[in-house]
Amino acid sequence: MILPIYAYGSPVLRQKAEPISPDYPGLKELIANMYETMYSSNGIGLAAPQIGLPIRLFVVDGSEIDEIDPVDFKQTFINPIILEEFDDKWSFEEGCLSIPQVREPVSRHAKLRIRYQDEQFREHEAVFDGMAARIIQHEYDHIEGVLFTDRISPLKRNLLKGRLSNISVGRVNVSYRMKFPKSR
Ligand code: NI
């Protein structure tokens, strides 16, 4: 089932999300719905707060984004903890399904080490780099209540103010289902 994506301005996008346990109701179906929602909106990552749930869960599939350096990974991250971020920072233009039609360069560390649980709640610890690391950092921010627009310069954020407030009231053209926090 395709779920509506919560738009910029929704309070749930600003909450620090809570860990979940294996008995979280309907988890398997929820994860399937999150993948379906992500693919139908051409996203490469989707975090639970973006569908209105303040829980520590996100899905990523970056297998098709980079032809030169294919990121062959599709992964569900449950209760993740980024243990460290390291290596030089690099800048890349990011977007977000909750903030349609806005793209800005964001500077992030090239590598990270993360501990997480998979769909069977098996624990993993792994190092990611390149685009995989970037997607994880962006989605991880979501479960911490952080958006990529928080990571751009105050000057650029100021320039985006009008567009961001338009998004929060639904004044934006978007091809997928969204839920806007404020009506006009
Ligand atoms: Ni996002």
Side-chain angles (χ1 to χ4, degrees):
M1 185 173 65
I2 295 170
L3 308 165
I5 292 175
Y6 282 53
Y8 183 93
S10 304
V12 68
L13 294 178
R14 291 310 192 176
Q15 267 176 266
K16 190 175 157 77
E18 295 290 333
I20 56 169
S21 60
D23 57 6
Y24 188 85
L27 183 59
K28 207 178 160 192
E29 197 187 345
L30 169 64
I31 292 169
N33 289 342
M34 284 177 66
Y35 277 106
E36 192 183 349
T37 302
M38 176 177 76
Y39 293 133
S40 75
S41 51
N42 293 313
I44 53 178
L46 184 70
Q50 294 183 275
I51 49 143
L53 297 173
I55 57 174
R56 300 183 77 78
L57 161 67
F58 60 80
V59 300
V60 302
D61 187 349
S63 18
E64 285 183 14
I65 43 163
D66 197 335
E67 289 165 9
I68 302 156
D69 173 25
V71 187
D72 185 20
F73 91 115
K74 172 184 173 180
Q75 183 66 56
T76 303
F77 291 84
I78 297 173
N79 300 329
I81 302 168
I82 291 184
L83 301 169
E84 55 170 336
E85 293 180 291
F86 54 103
D87 247 29
D88 292 343
K89 285 191 162 186
W90 62 297
S91 197
F92 186 80
E93 207 169 75
E94 295 188 17
C96 180
L97 293 173
S98 294
I99 316 174
Q101 290 165 28
V102 173
R103 298 192 71 83
E104 290 293 340
V106 178
S107 177
R108 298 186 191 270
H109 285 288
K111 295 182 183 173
L112 62 85
R113 179 188 304 277
I114 189 168
R115 185 182 297 154
Y116 64 95
Q117 288 157 345
D118 63 22
E119 292 175 32
Q120 284 74 44
F121 280 79
R122 286 179 304 223
E123 188 136 319
H124 300 267
E125 193 178 308
V127 171
F128 290 95
D129 63 6
M131 281 308 296
R134 179 164 294 267
I135 300 166
I136 290 167
Q137 286 159 326
H138 178 112
E139 299 312 323
Y140 190 84
D141 272 353
H142 275 300
I143 61 172
E144 293 289 310
V146 174
L147 299 171
F148 83 91
T149 46
D150 301 338
R151 297 194 179 276
I152 63 178
S153 73
L155 178 71
K156 279 193 171 169
R157 204 178 318 128
N158 213 29
L159 291 170
L160 281 178
K161 243 179 171 172
R163 285 171 72 192
L164 293 176
S165 73
N166 278 343
I167 290 170
S168 69
V169 296
R171 220 175 288 150
V172 62
N173 277 324
V174 64
S175 56
Y176 47 88
R177 259 179 88 204
M178 291 195 84
K179 190 172 161 66
F180 300 100
K182 298 167 198 159
S183 50
R184 273 196 252 176

